[in-house]
């Protein structure tokens, strides 16, 4: 890390990084190391690991169908505890600190409780404290709406808080501390030969996150992409500062460096198919309209070329919403006079991602070839400028990820 | 309870009353019973019992000497959890509810973190919700200063929140739910024959609270006395509404009803004595000045008539502050050339309290006589218009309380 003076860094620590008193002390030590080299530091914290689940347990015992407003009031206490505790830990080590709840940090959101979106952050008070030499410790995951109601941003929202704060404060870098030391070519738990990626384009990270990489929250990456904020992913378990990290920036030249940056996957989706529907304008809308009216998010959509005036239509949704989607599709099927409708939740989606794809043809073909060699059948295909995704039978997931990882030369040298 | 229409009641529930999910459900049931008979209800809650101690434990592990501001940020989360949970419980039972943190309820305090004083409550938003037919659930024990910092009012502060809110909203009654069904002539755990008091003057309650009765927080009673807010003490363990309660009001006629209302006591004090100090103007100030400069609160002060130009001086402080007070007194003793100084923490203070004393002589004499009959030596005496307090050897406390309780005909008929 360069020793530039007067850098402002925003550091976000997740639940396991503040899961115990000892881990909180270690976070304090790291913050002080940055302070001592002249950086200004804003820290964004999650709740202690386990705490949010405990609160969710209490809520579900009392009223799982209660208003999201009141749930957010309960859930937002987790981060409020950690910001106070870290500030106390910093004070104990002689470092002035000041905590901010979402309300105090003026993290203004809409009023979509439990999944609120940040509309604005007024960083003026935080800047005053930074100018006084204090470390500022902000509760992640939470904000306040225009009427003063407490809102939460949804799971993983602390990443978004961190990036949004970094943007609002015009920080030099947003550091996301987690339990891994950066982004890998694929999940090392599945493929031990996965390679660490030291530098990555925000656009690539965006695709990795949306295609299943859990390292960064997708909304946080979207925010960083939109406002051109560099993100660095680091491990809070590395004690020194010479550990590995992944820097995610918008620099265009990174993009072209390699053909395929990594292999992402997820098992969270299920697919629904409707066959023998009239192949005429508006049919896609007739099928998907009711689904999106029910607030079910659709990921992949594939329509086959119609024969005999009829066509087949397949799309994927999150597994949690499969039952609801099935019921809606059955209604649609009946009203359209479709031949058949069915669903499958034993699927997995695998994606290869890389900025280099833009200027290279044949990457998709190479992917299909690698899968064919292992006799893995492809059920759906979807492509974008810098990624190719396929849906396969869930039971071949691991084999497919390993094969693709090797086929694209991502194995560690 | 009379069935007057459109009554507004503020109900405060302590930690044991919301200690489990089941207890929270019971609170919801009681609130709904009041709603169903046409009352508007504002609920003030403490943290679930044990929760505050857990948070204090975390704080002490990290930094017991940290800033009170950050401690308050951590501690105030306990009530925030319960207000959300009770609101969810009310919703589950079909009753619209809305929670308010101290910040949201605009409970404005000074910035004396950990022992803040309420300066003002802006109840306009709460009134709006009440007018919409909602139950309003407010976090006790916490407020916000003019700069938006979270403050806490100190242990037992929820009582104060409740009374202050009742005053701000012009409520008809402030109900304090606890684990006993009202105020007794003395602590029933010490004297099983203690009698329940159905009606009590605020002034008497004020003396009872300051002399050791733990049923109500003294600051809450002060507030109620100042603003003439009736307080009703009830048990949250009574399921119906026909249970006993104690109504504490400012009605003057209650005061004169009985000679002695009750016997209060405490074992929290220690006494310090300095002998052979020059009997001259200003000596009391020279002795107590340094004590109060150290923020040590002095309760009883007794000075004997001087002989040979010297006098003896005794005062009591809280036992927690005895060590510090001893050191200060030793310094003073040396500088004044006193003959001796000593301390005793094996003492107890007993007080008899009653508005009727004002118009009857001889109550103190009757008290001394009862104690003499049991051969209990009185070390210090202090009187006010409606109370007589004595300090005795701690080991005679129980005997003294029983004797006085009987001597003043307080035993249950």
């Amino acid at each position: 890390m360069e020793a530039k003076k007067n850098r402002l860094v925003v550091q976000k620590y997740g639940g396991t990084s503040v899961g115990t008193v000892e881990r909180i002390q270690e976070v304090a030590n790291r913050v002080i190391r940055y302070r001592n080299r002249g950086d200004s530091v804003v820290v964004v914290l999650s709740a202690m690991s386990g705490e949010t689940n405990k609160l969710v347990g209490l809520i579900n015992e009392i009223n799982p169908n209660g208003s999201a407003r009141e749930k957010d009031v309960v859930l937002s206490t987790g981060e409020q505890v950690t910001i106070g505790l870290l500030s106390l830990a910093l004070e104990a080590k002689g470092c002035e600190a000041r905590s901010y709840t979402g309300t105090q940090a003026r993290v203004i959101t809409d009023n979509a409780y439990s999944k609120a979106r940040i509309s604005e952050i007024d960083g003026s008070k935080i800047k005053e404290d930074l100018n006084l030499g204090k470390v500022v410790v902000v509760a992640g995951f939470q904000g306040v709406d225009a009427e003063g109601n407490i809102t939460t941003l949804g799971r993983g929202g602390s990443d978004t808080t961190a990036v949004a704060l970094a943007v609002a404060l015009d920080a030099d870098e947003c550091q996301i501390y987690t339990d891994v030391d950066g982004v890998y070519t694929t999940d090392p738990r599945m493929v031990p030969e996965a390679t660490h990626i030291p530098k990555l384009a925000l656009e690539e990270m965006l695709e990795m996150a949306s295609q299943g990489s859990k390292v960064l929250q997708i909304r946080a990456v979207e925010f960083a992409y939109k406002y051109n904020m560099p993100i660095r992913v680091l491990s809070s378990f590395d004690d020194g500062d010479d550990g590995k990290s992944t820097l995610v920036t918008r620099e265009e030249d990174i993009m072209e460096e390699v053909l395929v940056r990594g292999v992402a996957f997820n098992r969270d989706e299920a697919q629904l198919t409707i066959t023998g529907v009239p192949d005429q304008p508006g049919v896609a809308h007739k099928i998907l309209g009711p689904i999106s009216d029910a607030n079910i998010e659709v990921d992949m959509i594939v329509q086959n070329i119609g024969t005999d005036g009829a066509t087949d239509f397949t799309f994927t949704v999150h597994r949690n919403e499969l039952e609801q989607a099935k019921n809606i599709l059955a209604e649609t099927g009946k009203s359209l006079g479709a031949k058949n409708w069915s669903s499958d939740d034993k699927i997995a989606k695998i994606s290869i991602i890389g900025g280099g794809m833009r200027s290279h043809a044949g990457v998709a073909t190479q992917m299909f070839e690698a899968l064919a060699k292992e006799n893995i059948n492809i059920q759906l295909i979807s492509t974008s400028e810098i990624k190719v995704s396929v849906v396969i039978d869930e039971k071949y997931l691991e084999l497919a990820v390993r094969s693709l990882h090797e086929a694209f030369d991502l194995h560690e040298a």
Side-chain angles (χ1 to χ4, degrees), chain A residues 108-381:
Chain A
I108 313 295
T109 70
D110 57 22
N111 66 355
Y113 300 112
S114 86
K115 47 176 194 287
R117 286 186 172 266
I118 298 174
S119 55
E120 186 195 333
I121 295 181
D122 173 3
S124 53
K125 266 189 96 175
I126 291 176
K127 277 183 190 156
E128 274 173 39
D129 275 336
L130 290 173
N131 288 339
L132 292 171
K134 289 180 188 166
V135 169
V136 167
V137 184
V138 181
F141 175 69
Q142 60 182 251
V144 64
D145 75 5
E147 270 76 49
N149 298 302
I150 295 169
T151 56
T152 71
L153 313 180
R155 290 257 166 175
S158 294
D159 284 8
T160 311
T161 305
V163 175
L165 258 177
V167 170
L169 299 169
D170 197 21
D172 293 279
E173 187 172 292
C174 180
Q175 303 181 335
I176 308 280
Y177 287 87
T178 173
D179 48 4
V180 294
D181 56 5
V183 182
Y184 280 73
T185 48
T186 195
D187 188 339
R189 281 167 300 189
M190 184 172 285
V191 184
E193 297 87 354
T195 320
H196 180 265
I197 308 175
K199 231 172 167 191
L200 187 68
L202 270 162
E203 207 172 337
E204 290 171 319
M205 190 67 234
L206 204 53
E207 286 286 5
M208 302 269 265
S210 21
Q211 298 314 317
S213 162
K214 312 274 190 220
V215 179
L216 286 175
Q217 265 315 102
I218 176 154
R219 278 168 59 190
V221 184
E222 282 170 357
F223 228 105
Y225 181 70
K226 187 169 167 193
Y227 293 101
N228 195 12
M229 174 55 58
I231 301 182
R232 189 181 294 274
V233 181
L234 314 93
S235 167
S236 67
F237 290 83
D238 282 340
D239 234 9
D241 299 322
D242 49 356
K244 278 190 271 193
S245 68
T246 295
L247 181 63
V248 190
T249 69
R250 212 170 169 177
E251 292 168 44
E252 288 298 320
D253 51 338
I254 312 175
M255 284 277 280
E256 313 299 334
E257 266 176 19
V258 296
L259 203 61
V260 172
R261 184 71 73 183
V263 181
F265 57 86
N266 85 59
R267 268 174 283 216
D268 301 334
E269 293 183 25
Q271 73 185 9
L272 294 109
T273 302
I274 181 165
T275 59
V277 288
D279 188 11
Q280 60 198 32
V283 71
H285 177 69
K286 277 181 191 149
I287 294 168
L288 292 179
I291 299 283
S292 70
D293 287 350
N295 271 316
I296 298 173
E297 215 171 310
V298 172
D299 180 27
M300 295 171 82
I301 304 168
V302 176
Q303 185 179 354
N304 286 354
I305 288 166
T307 52
D308 304 331
T311 186
D312 301 340
F313 202 91
T314 300
F315 59 96
T316 64
V317 300
H318 196 283
R319 281 191 198 179
N320 292 343
E321 299 179 314
L322 175 60
E323 278 313 303
Q324 204 191 344
K326 268 164 74 175
N327 294 335
I328 294 168
L329 188 66
E331 289 300 314
T332 313
K334 276 175 235 164
S335 75
L336 287 180
K339 205 162 85 186
N340 193 30
W341 47 90
S342 62
S343 68
D344 182 0
D345 66 351
K346 298 271 177 288
I347 59 161
K349 185 171 73 162
I350 305 184
S351 311
I352 54 169
I353 292 141
M357 280 184 204
R358 288 205 289 218
S359 44
H360 289 76
V363 176
T365 320
Q366 203 179 335
M367 180 186 194
F368 305 152
E369 187 188 5
L371 294 174
K373 236 175 33 195
E374 303 289 349
N375 272 319
I376 299 170
N377 189 39
I378 297 171
Q379 300 178 23
L380 291 178
I381 299 171

Side-chain angles (χ1 to χ4, degrees), chain A residues 11 13 24-39 41 43 86-97 135 241:
Chain A
Q11 303 188 329
Y13 295 90
I24 290 173
Q25 305 278 19
E26 285 165 31
V27 169
N29 290 337
R30 176 176 293 99
V31 169
I32 289 170
R33 280 204 304 277
Y34 273 84
R35 289 279 300 124
N36 288 347
R37 70 167 78 140
D39 289 341
V41 186
V43 184
L86 179 64
S87 300
L88 288 166
L90 286 165
E91 287 174 2
K93 296 172 195 291
C95 174
E96 268 201 285
V135 169
D241 299 322

